[in-house]
Amino acid sequence: MTDTRKTALVIGASRTLGLGLAAEYLRRDWDVIGTVRGSRRTGLHDLADASGGRLTIEHLEMTDPEQLAALRDRLARRTLDLLFVNAAITRGDLPIGEVPTDMFTEVMVTNALSPLRVVEALGPLVASTGTIGVMSSDQGSITLNTDGGQDLYRASKSALNQLMRCYAARHATDTRTLLLMDPGWVRTELGGPEADLSVEESVPGVAETIERHQGKPGLHFVDLEGHVVPW
């Protein structure tokens, strides 16, 4: 009997939203590949132990092009139904004039450049009916920024959105779905303890929105309830 189970690759799956997505896709009877940084044990390892072989772990420091190329080579024979890139850092709420150059570079490389490098490198592994998704934020919306604050983080997410738009324009005839996903304000290290949603409340909506957009080519900037987020 042919195995028709779908496969998701979740980049940045060691904790919080990435780990939650890996668990959610296992619950949906997918095979999952999740990446972690470094060699320490994470929650993803515990999830893999309980998965009956349906979750495999790969190691990737996303900002390292050599590691990304090595991962691409290791997965070259795989076909993915979903590639989802979950990665972001923040370095505090400083006015942009007070942000040191090295901090600016670190956040932009991690939040904008590296996710698109992943998309460029691993996108060819995604099936023609599959989905390429990147975790964005409504803080990347220029239209919604009426209060200011979090200058660098907002700028990095806006840059991510613009780069995905560039990717979509270069692949205008692509039949795959491209998603920029706003998961809501989630209680993570990045979102803080005052955020509206737990990981467990956010993740099912994210997965459901991804599923509802399957088969809809082009780039969509949406939230966990499927609503369009303004640019």
Side-chain angles (χ1 to χ4, degrees):
M1 184 172 63
T2 303
D3 186 358
T4 58
R5 190 180 288 133
K6 294 181 178 180
T7 300
L9 170 57
V10 181
I11 303 295
S14 62
R15 58 193 179 92
T16 61
L17 285 167
L19 178 61
L21 275 176
E24 179 67 21
Y25 278 102
L26 288 175
R27 283 192 290 271
R28 291 170 180 250
D29 200 32
W30 288 46
D31 287 332
V32 179
I33 307 165
T35 72
V36 300
R37 296 186 302 160
S39 58
R40 67 181 180 85
R41 188 173 179 85
T42 71
L44 192 68
H45 292 83
D46 297 332
L47 192 62
D49 289 346
S51 72
R54 291 195 293 119
L55 170 60
T56 57
I57 296 176
E58 290 283 353
H59 291 83
L60 174 68
E61 170 50 69
M62 190 179 64
T63 61
D64 184 333
E66 291 185 1
Q67 288 193 28
L68 179 57
L71 177 62
R72 180 191 60 212
D73 291 344
R74 292 196 300 272
L75 298 179
R77 296 182 181 276
R78 302 293 299 267
T79 298
L80 306 174
D81 298 284
L82 171 66
L83 166 63
F84 196 90
V85 186
N86 172 61
I89 60 172
T90 185
R91 290 293 182 256
D93 187 7
L94 295 174
I96 196 65
E98 297 177 15
V99 172
T101 300
D102 58 349
M103 182 187 294
F104 183 90
T105 301
E106 179 193 20
V107 172
M108 283 293 184
V109 167
T110 301
N111 293 4
L113 175 60
S114 295
L116 266 295
R117 283 177 169 168
V118 171
V119 169
E120 295 277 10
L122 302 181
L125 303 181
V126 178
S128 60
T129 56
T131 299
I132 299 173
V134 179
M135 196 71 85
S136 186
S137 169
D138 62 0
Q139 291 197 60
S141 167
I142 294 173
T143 302
L144 294 178
N145 184 8
T146 58
D147 297 325
Q150 295 291 342
D151 296 11
L152 178 53
Y153 180 76
R154 287 181 186 272
S156 71
K157 287 299 187 179
S158 294
L160 170 72
N161 294 351
Q162 185 70 275
L163 291 173
M164 273 296 283
R165 199 150 204 177
C166 290
Y167 179 87
R170 289 199 311 275
H171 298 82
T173 61
D174 199 330
T175 58
R176 296 170 300 180
T177 302
L178 304 177
L179 293 178
L180 286 161
M181 177 61 63
D182 167 25
W185 188 19
V186 185
R187 291 190 292 274
T188 64
E189 182 179 335
L190 192 149
E194 303 301 319
D196 297 331
L197 300 171
S198 67
V199 170
E200 293 75 18
E201 290 168 327
S202 170
V203 161
V206 170
E208 193 62 32
T209 296
I210 292 171
E211 185 170 322
R212 287 200 302 267
H213 281 78
Q214 183 180 358
K216 298 180 180 179
L219 178 61
H220 310 268
F221 186 11
V222 289
D223 67 15
L224 74 162
E225 295 179 344
H227 301 142
V228 173
V229 181
W231 293 87

